[in-house]
Amino acid sequence: MTGRADLPCLVLLHSPLGTAADWGSLPHDLAERGAEVVVAEVTDDDRPPYASRYVARAALEIAAADPAGPLLLVASGAAGPLLPAIAAAQRAAHRAVAGYVLVDALVPQPGTPTRAELSAAQQHLDPPVRPPGFFTEPLPMTADWPDAPCGYLRTGDAYAHPARLAELRSWPVRHTAGRPLAEELLALAAEL
């Protein structure tokens, strides 16, 4: 589907601790509002190196969708810290990345912290539904991230601290406060 000319293609990246179904009706709601949407489904990151497998599968899913124009990478939960590596893969494939939105997500940090370190630093603990190595492997990071505008969208209080980190970085931050997620995401995308 060709989306609105004023918006980049929205690429939805679910948390590695969940599935694409966790987005619920969001892809449909965005498409109804005229957005071009790609939903990456990553199901084969179940063994080491977890993060690299997620990044590689997400890149393949994006390539298979062949989106038009620049991309707005939208990550939830534990996919947030993988945004720099996913963006690097897109730049290597000659796709422009117009920006990033983290939705109730951990914020990438410089260096190669682990998911456990990010969770501890950002006061959020994900349920241990993966082997311990999933939480302790160093995450990939690129030196030049962020290379495009970033925004943060939170739907509740569980991610208040990462949202505050985003504010400290002067990123626009929105809270859905009961409003439709699709509307808030599109409004945030328009701010970037």
Side-chain angles (χ1 to χ4, degrees):
M1 166 185 179
T2 302
R4 292 178 12 194
D6 63 327
L7 282 177
C9 175
L10 302 174
V11 178
L12 302 181
L13 302 156
H14 65 81
S15 173
L17 300 171
T19 68
D22 294 342
W23 288 114
S25 67
L26 181 62
H28 174 75
D29 296 345
L30 291 168
E32 276 192 338
R33 289 167 172 81
E36 180 183 6
V37 181
V38 171
V39 180
E41 176 74 47
V42 179
T43 59
D44 56 353
D45 64 334
D46 55 351
R47 60 191 183 282
Y50 303 98
S52 295
R53 286 182 185 280
Y54 185 99
V55 170
R57 176 55 60 192
L60 289 172
E61 292 281 316
I62 296 166
D66 194 24
L71 308 176
L72 180 68
L73 300 178
V74 181
S76 72
L82 302 178
L83 280 176
I86 294 167
Q90 295 314 299
R91 287 193 307 272
H94 305 287
R95 285 187 200 86
V97 176
Y100 308 93
V101 173
L102 292 94
V103 179
D104 290 338
L106 297 173
V107 177
Q109 290 182 193
T112 54
T114 67
R115 285 184 179 95
E117 291 166 338
L118 287 175
S119 291
Q122 296 179 24
Q123 298 177 342
H124 174 76
L125 297 175
D126 286 305
V129 296
R130 292 286 186 107
F134 176 85
F135 294 98
T136 57
E137 75 174 354
L139 298 175
M141 179 55 81
T142 58
D144 61 346
W145 196 88
D147 58 341
C150 299
Y152 198 97
L153 181 59
R154 73 181 177 106
T155 63
D157 293 331
Y159 286 87
H161 186 69
R164 178 69 182 133
L165 293 175
E167 286 176 340
L168 292 171
R169 294 178 178 190
S170 299
W171 298 354
V173 174
R174 287 182 162 263
H175 186 274
T176 58
R179 291 181 296 275
L181 182 58
E183 286 180 20
E184 290 299 311
L185 179 55
L186 290 173
L188 183 56
E191 285 184 53
L192 300 180

